[in-house]
């Protein structure tokens, strides 16, 4: 069972998951970075460029926080592209001492997710206002369908500067980020029952075939398999 909620403390999603039956899952790219407690280890999940496959055992329990796109570097103290498509122990990012202290706090807590939320919120308070504005503007404009040149103009950067800063903030350049954000919105609409052709039109794909190709490229399976 998977449950999530939006944090009132910071730009975070707090989520928990309990595995009831053995199986595999597919975590799709969303531009986010997660800090995950697996019951005995803290793991950093970097921004993905393709689906990440997971296999779970019955009874496994997870608690985690997911940073909004562009905010992960402030939590982890690392450029996002250094963690792209990776799952690494928190100790590799924060150091053994800080990771061990947090793991001990979580292990002793009645609500591990709440501990993660408060620790992450404290670290995100150090996120400088300029970086926060940059992340919010880039994500907002790309979600609205703006092209890279227009986004660069909005944030007063050249396209090359925008690409370089986006790598550090999001883990990939603005064109890839736009694809990821568009697919995320499209899949939300498709899961809500909107026909694929209409989803493609609403979200800015050239046509339904373009939508299908992007699903296969980023999710690794056809749309029908994904929705099923």
């Amino acid at each position: 069972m998977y449950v999530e909620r939006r944090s009132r403390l910071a730009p975070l999603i707090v989520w928990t998951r309990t595995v009831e039956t053995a199986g595999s899952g597919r975590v799709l790219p969303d531009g986010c970075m997660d800090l995950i407690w697996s019951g005995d280890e803290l793991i950093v999940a970097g921004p993905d460029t393709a689906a990440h496959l997971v296999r779970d055992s019955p009874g496994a329990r997870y608690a985690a926080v997911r940073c909004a796109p562009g905010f992960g570097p402030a939590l982890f103290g690392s450029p996002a592209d250094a963690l792209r498509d990776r799952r690494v122990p928190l100790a590799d990012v924060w150091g053994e001492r800080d990771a061990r202290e947090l793991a001990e706090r979580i292990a002793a807590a009645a609500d591990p997710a709440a501990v993660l939320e408060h620790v992450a919120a404290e670290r995100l308070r150090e996120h400088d206002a300029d970086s926060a504005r940059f992340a919010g503007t880039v994500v907002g404009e790309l979600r609205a369908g703006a092209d890279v040149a227009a986004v660069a103009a909005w944030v007063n950067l050249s396209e090359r500067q925008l690409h370089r800063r986006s790598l550090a903030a999001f883990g990939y350049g603005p064109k890839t980020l736009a694809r990821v954000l568009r697919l995320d919105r499209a899949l939300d609409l498709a899961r809500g029952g909107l026909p694929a052709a209409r989803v493609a039109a609403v979200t800015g794909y050239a046509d339904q075939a373009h939508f299908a190709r992007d699903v296969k490229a980023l999710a690794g399976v056809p749309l029908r398999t994904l929705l099923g």
Side-chain angles (χ1 to χ4, degrees):
M1 180 176 68
Y2 175 85
V3 178
E4 70 173 38
R5 63 174 174 82
R6 190 172 299 278
S7 173
R8 292 174 294 179
L9 305 177
L12 298 165
I13 295 294
V14 183
W15 62 267
T16 58
R17 182 168 173 257
T18 302
V19 180
E20 298 171 352
T21 58
S24 60
R26 189 175 295 272
V27 180
L28 302 185
D30 59 6
C32 300
M33 299 171 69
D34 293 50
L35 176 57
I36 305 169
W37 170 247
S38 66
D40 58 4
E41 186 179 21
L42 285 159
I43 298 293
V44 177
D48 293 320
T49 57
H52 176 77
L53 301 181
V54 294
R55 288 179 173 81
D56 294 308
S57 302
R61 300 172 67 89
Y62 302 91
V65 288
R66 178 177 300 125
C67 296
F71 286 81
L75 172 57
F76 297 115
S78 171
D81 55 333
L83 296 166
R84 183 176 56 233
D85 292 322
R86 299 178 64 198
R87 302 295 186 272
V88 301
L90 180 64
D92 289 359
V93 182
W94 280 7
E96 292 284 350
R97 176 181 170 183
D98 288 349
R100 183 176 63 252
E101 288 179 354
L102 179 56
E104 290 171 354
R105 282 182 60 187
I106 293 171
D111 186 352
V115 175
L116 285 170
E117 179 183 12
H118 281 272
V119 169
E122 282 296 319
R123 288 204 167 225
L124 288 177
R125 286 196 182 100
E126 300 173 6
H127 196 52
D128 67 272
D130 178 63
S131 295
R133 280 194 299 270
F134 171 81
T137 300
V138 171
V139 170
E141 291 300 313
L142 291 175
R143 279 183 172 149
D147 62 22
V148 172
V151 175
W154 266 103
V155 294
N156 296 313
L157 296 173
S158 69
E159 291 186 39
R160 180 174 295 181
Q161 290 171 326
L162 173 63
H163 182 83
R164 184 167 58 248
R165 190 164 175 184
S166 293
L167 287 177
F170 307 111
Y172 23 68
K175 289 184 179 179
T176 299
L177 178 61
R179 286 183 70 202
V180 167
L181 295 173
R182 179 171 60 182
L183 182 65
D184 186 54
R185 182 185 175 214
L187 290 177
D188 279 346
L189 294 173
R191 291 185 183 111
L194 198 66
R198 182 61 181 156
V199 169
V202 168
T203 53
Y205 290 97
D207 51 29
Q208 186 175 340
H210 181 200
F211 175 34
R213 288 194 301 272
D214 238 27
V215 171
K216 187 68 181 295
L218 293 174
V221 293
L223 179 62
R224 181 174 298 180
T225 301
L226 198 60
L227 297 181

